[in-house]
Amino acid sequence: MTTEDLRARGLDAMRRALPGVFPDGDIDLRDGGIADDLLEIGLTSVWGSLWDREGLSPRDRSLVTLSILIALGAESEMRTHFAIGRTNGLTDDEISELIYHAAGYTGFPAATAARNAARAALDS
């Protein structure tokens, strides 16, 4: 598969995960600043190569991704992925349970950061 194919698959996957966020047609995620290819790299390598794969449902991918982000304490990425999780069928109760469960493995600071990110992302 070419980079262009992965990019197109990545755009489709991102649009499904975040409906209404990205306009139709080709878009450039570069902003002219330092490391401005980072989002383009993520578009092909993460969204095109991983999120668009068969094998796990989008809902399951959201659970896995959120678990990893909680463990990393990646609060800004969690905000986006809590919204994606809801789009992919996670309920607020399931998101709460994910945070509670993560507290036992990642600790309360990481779980508190996750709770704050979920509340900010989901207006809860």
Side-chain angles (χ1 to χ4, degrees), residues 70 82 94-104 111-112 114-115 118:
I70 292 169
F82 280 122
E94 289 170 324
I95 290 170
S96 295
E97 287 300 325
L98 171 63
I99 293 168
Y100 303 150
H101 193 78
T112 299
R115 182 193 65 186

Side-chain angles (χ1 to χ4, degrees), residues 4 12 37 59 78 88 93 95 119:
E4 291 79 24
D12 288 343
D37 279 335
R59 182 183 184 285
M78 278 187 258
N88 287 337
D93 287 342
I95 290 170
R119 287 180 176 180

Side-chain angles (χ1 to χ4, degrees), residues 57-110:
S57 68
R59 182 183 184 285
D60 290 345
R61 288 189 193 279
S62 283
L63 284 169
V64 170
T65 300
L66 283 165
S67 298
I68 293 166
L69 294 175
I70 292 169
L72 291 172
E75 196 168 341
S76 64
E77 289 84 359
M78 278 187 258
R79 287 188 191 119
T80 300
H81 280 278
F82 280 122
I84 290 170
R86 188 185 266 170
T87 297
N88 287 337
L90 295 178
T91 66
D92 288 357
D93 287 342
E94 289 170 324
I95 290 170
S96 295
E97 287 300 325
L98 171 63
I99 293 168
Y100 303 150
H101 193 78
Y105 290 89
T106 64
F108 277 86

